[in-house]
Amino acid sequence: MRGWWQEIAGLVLPGVCEGCGAPGSGLCPACGEVLAGGGAGEGEGPPGTSPGRVRPSPEPPGLPVVHAAVPYEGAVRALLIAHKERGALGLAGALGGALARAVEAAVGAPEEAAGAAGAFEGAREGACGGRRAGPLLLVPVPSSRRSVRARGHDPTRRLALAAAGRLRRAGRPARVLPVLRQGRAVADQAGLGARGRRANLAGALEVVPGGARLLAAGRVVLVDDLMTTGATLAEAARALGAVHHPFIPRTPTGIGGDSAQHEFEQRVAAVIASSPASFEINRNSSETWIVAGGER
């Protein structure tokens, strides 16, 4: 209800930008530019920010390969809080666009994805009777029922739907697959450090009955609005890994018959924002990461 009242109030009361407070609509052009990665507000990072891989420090075990669209600071922070906590539903389109950019970074450029899908499709045609490679499956990190009731909406699911719509309009098949749920109650994460969050969330998420079959229909991408310690995404990846082991069947060159090998896909995730430091860790890291079994 709160979101509807906010939209109605916006029609009759003077509006301000949720990012910087400037008079006008809920999102001014300057803040929209920052969210799109094409500019920087006061005190923010350099203009022209592109989605990049992010890593928290310390990095929790099992964290998927995460890409974020923009640093979590300034106008971006204000916009995410306004959407999540104050029901500024009109921001979902612009925020969903930023999430779509992070998803594209996570799965690769369209031509790269098309090449991988073609290889995947060819292998599956030989092994599975000609089924086609499926769409991007955006799996939102679930909110608790208590949080959804308090906020009047499910912000992450709403942003995932907006991102999927943006991807489809750009010619990339995508849909939202809300197959994760909380299997037990968890404490409020506010005020908890990295170790406390991991302990709080350990074993808390699960895939709904029948979800494993749905996950096999395409390329799975975990999505959330924000990454802080990475504990939530690591737990979500664990829950998916319990029922879903994505792999690409591949026949080695020069080997005939029914012989085949399986290459596990990396578990990937996309978020709108992450701390500026997590981008810096990524840029400055020279480590080589080896992926086995679909997860790091």
Side-chain angles (χ1 to χ4, degrees):
M1 287 294 293
R2 181 171 58 179
W4 289 108
W5 279 113
Q6 180 129 350
E7 290 189 353
I8 293 171
L11 297 175
V12 297
L13 297 175
V16 297
C17 173
E18 297 284 0
C20 64
S25 64
L27 181 64
C28 73
C31 289
E33 185 84 358
V34 172
L35 190 61
E42 183 178 354
E44 296 181 17
T49 302
S50 298
R53 185 169 174 183
V54 289
R55 295 177 177 138
S57 180
E59 183 171 347
L63 183 72
V65 177
V66 186
H67 282 74
V70 286
Y72 184 63
E73 58 184 350
V76 172
R77 179 178 183 275
L79 291 168
L80 283 171
I81 292 174
H83 176 263
K84 176 183 284 187
E85 304 296 348
R86 298 200 298 274
L89 306 185
L91 298 174
L95 291 169
L99 182 57
R101 291 171 52 234
V103 169
E104 289 183 318
V107 300
E111 56 271 17
E112 294 172 357
F120 185 31
E121 183 176 349
R124 290 181 67 173
E125 284 177 354
C128 306
R131 288 187 297 162
R132 295 188 306 161
L136 296 177
L137 303 176
L138 308 189
V139 178
V141 170
S143 300
S144 68
R145 293 180 181 177
R146 179 179 58 192
S147 295
V148 172
R149 285 195 302 268
R151 292 169 177 154
H153 73 126
D154 186 335
T156 306
R157 186 169 180 175
R158 183 182 297 275
L159 295 176
L161 289 167
R166 183 68 65 93
L167 290 165
R168 287 193 300 269
R169 289 192 293 275
R172 304 199 71 171
R175 66 173 183 261
V176 176
L177 205 61
V179 296
L180 286 175
R181 69 181 182 187
Q182 287 194 351
R184 63 168 177 82
V186 297
D188 188 347
Q189 296 275 80
L192 296 179
R195 183 177 298 177
R197 290 189 177 210
R198 290 198 300 272
N200 185 41
L201 290 168
L205 301 183
E206 62 185 14
V207 174
V208 299
R213 176 179 56 82
L214 299 175
L215 290 166
R219 179 71 190 276
V220 174
V221 185
L222 276 165
V223 295
D224 205 353
D225 59 347
L226 172 68
M227 183 180 75
T228 50
T229 67
T232 303
L233 287 173
E235 170 58 18
R238 181 210 60 79
L240 289 180
V243 301
H244 177 244
H245 307 284
F247 63 88
I248 303 174
R250 177 173 63 86
T251 301
T253 303
I255 299 179
D258 296 330
S259 177
Q261 294 179 349
H262 294 159
E263 292 183 345
F264 283 87
E265 290 180 348
Q266 289 181 323
R267 188 79 65 192
V268 297
V271 297
I272 295 171
S274 184
S275 72
S278 66
F279 284 90
E280 292 168 5
I281 290 168
N282 181 46
R283 287 197 299 269
N284 295 335
S285 175
S286 59
E287 295 176 290
T288 299
W289 293 77
I290 299 175
V291 177
E295 290 187 10
R296 306 193 262 110

